[in-house]
Amino acid sequence: MNASPLPSTDPALSIRGVEVVYPDGTVGLRRTRLSFVPGEFVVLLGPSGAGKSTLLRSLNGLVKATAGTIEVAGIGDIHARGALRRHRQRCAMVFQQHQLIGRLTTLQNVLTGRLSYHSTLRSLWPLPLADKRLALDCLDRVGLLDCALRRVDELSGGQQQRVGIARAIAQQPRILLADEPVASLDPATSMRVLGLIHSICKADGITAVVSLHQVDLARRFADRVVGIGSGSVVFDGPPAAMGEPVLSAIYGAGTPSPQARREQPPTQHVSIPLPEHAA
Ligand SMILES: Nc1ncnc2c1ncn2[C@@H]1O[C@H](COP(=O)(O)OP(=O)(O)OP(=O)(O)O)[C@@H](O)[C@H]1O
Ligand SMILES: [Mg+2]
């Protein structure tokens, strides 16, 4: 399932010296350097409180980095004047809890993915037919075309997450960030929903950064795994390199679930590349 090595090219997204300190003084992310190759599917792993959401949210400015720079291909530093808006237009986010509007239809929810392409005033009127066609096409891709006119709060959790994916791809993103997109789903549905995100990203050449708690899903879908512990990168490498030493480095004494560990390959020696990520 893992793709063959990707050609080296300029990063789609890179961060240098990025640090997040919350207003109460909690350090969410220590000074970190990372870059993401166009089209790669990167999974963030780490225990609760490690800093996965902080890192993901800093990548689209939902959490403001208190130091460092975040650069996007074709845009530059996202904190430069006007850059954040342009970045967010092409950087979609999928959330654990969907963040859908329950009283609206499935189609209307997907159409909200198009709002950033219109002025505030224009978005008060029905969106153009081209947007509706695109939204319907996105619903078709996630297998929910026949639910287009149903209220979204009538759908199951797995269906709602597929609507969240359709809304994200309606944005025609270059980058997709997903924060535990399958955490609320049963194992079989998790596999299907993550498989859907993976296949769409690969088909459209979208660079994906996805946080997960399931090591087995990371092994199955990731081109590359970034392990986070206590706000720092503690591992960066292919899923095949995630043997026992790496899992211990990522999770410390708190180990991932038995189900997550079941498919572990034999232990291998891996160097844990701390220094080059500490900017
Ligand atoms: N808004 C906030 N204000 C203060 N501290 C915060 C805030 N959000 C997160 N933190 C802290 O930052 C650290 C990293 O949290 P973060 O939510 O990024 O972890 P996580 O790896 O996503 O965890 P989980 O797997 O539970 O989602 C934690 O110590 C957390 O308590
Ligand atoms: Mg989180």
Side-chain angles (χ1 to χ4, degrees):
M1 178 70 66
N2 299 322
S4 50
L6 293 152
S8 89
T9 173
D10 288 342
L13 174 66
S14 61
I15 66 172
R16 261 181 297 129
V18 168
E19 174 191 73
V20 176
V21 181
Y22 287 105
D24 67 359
T26 306
V27 179
L29 189 68
R30 296 174 201 285
R31 282 180 177 265
T32 296
R33 174 193 286 263
L34 273 174
S35 59
F36 303 97
V37 172
E40 73 176 339
F41 196 92
V42 179
V43 170
L44 304 181
L45 289 179
S48 196
K52 303 179 298 298
S53 299
T54 303
L55 170 59
L56 277 170
R57 286 166 170 266
S58 71
L59 296 179
N60 69 356
L62 278 179
V63 163
K64 183 140 174 44
T66 39
T69 55
I70 301 171
E71 292 198 349
V72 178
I75 292 178
D77 185 345
I78 66 166
H79 293 115
R81 197 179 160 81
L84 191 56
R85 192 175 157 273
R86 285 197 294 139
H87 171 47
R88 283 184 177 161
Q89 195 175 57
R90 288 303 186 99
C91 178
M93 189 140 192
V94 174
F95 300 89
Q96 178 182 347
Q97 292 304 335
H98 326 308
Q99 315 278 36
L100 301 172
I101 305 169
R103 66 192 154 72
L104 297 185
T105 65
T106 300
L107 177 61
Q108 285 168 324
N109 270 280
V110 176
L111 276 169
T112 63
R114 299 300 303 159
L115 290 179
S116 65
Y117 287 92
H118 300 283
S119 68
T120 313
L121 201 58
R122 177 65 188 81
S123 60
L124 294 175
W125 278 276
L127 294 182
L129 201 57
D131 286 323
K132 287 187 187 147
R133 284 211 187 96
L134 174 62
L136 288 169
D137 181 50
C138 294
L139 276 175
D140 198 17
R141 290 183 79 183
V142 302
L144 287 177
L145 190 54
D146 54 351
C147 295
L149 300 180
R150 282 178 65 185
R151 267 178 69 128
V152 84
D153 55 10
E154 292 172 3
L155 304 183
S156 71
Q159 287 173 322
Q160 289 189 14
Q161 193 53 293
R162 279 150 64 198
V163 177
I165 295 165
R167 178 186 55 192
I169 57 172
Q171 243 179 283
Q172 299 183 306
R174 295 198 183 101
I175 298 168
L176 184 124
L177 309 175
D179 196 1
E180 295 190 42
V182 297
S184 314
L185 307 176
D186 65 68
T189 310
S190 295
M191 177 74 85
R192 275 201 301 277
V193 168
L194 194 63
L196 186 63
I197 295 174
H198 180 267
S199 62
I200 288 172
C201 288
K202 288 297 171 188
D204 293 5
I206 298 168
T207 308
V209 188
V210 180
S211 75
L212 294 176
H213 275 296
Q214 300 92 330
V215 175
D216 58 335
L217 292 181
R219 285 194 202 293
R220 176 150 186 162
F221 292 109
D223 295 320
R224 172 182 162 207
V225 172
V226 173
I228 313 276
S230 303
S232 300
V233 174
V234 296
F235 171 73
D236 187 348
M242 280 198 305
E244 192 64 47
V246 167
L247 286 175
S248 299
I250 297 173
Y251 289 100
T255 51
S257 71
Q259 181 212 350
R261 291 168 72 87
R262 209 183 303 136
E263 293 177 23
Q264 248 174 248
T267 301
Q268 320 179 12
H269 171 75
V270 194
S271 58
I272 295 168
L274 262 173
E276 70 259 34
H277 294 94

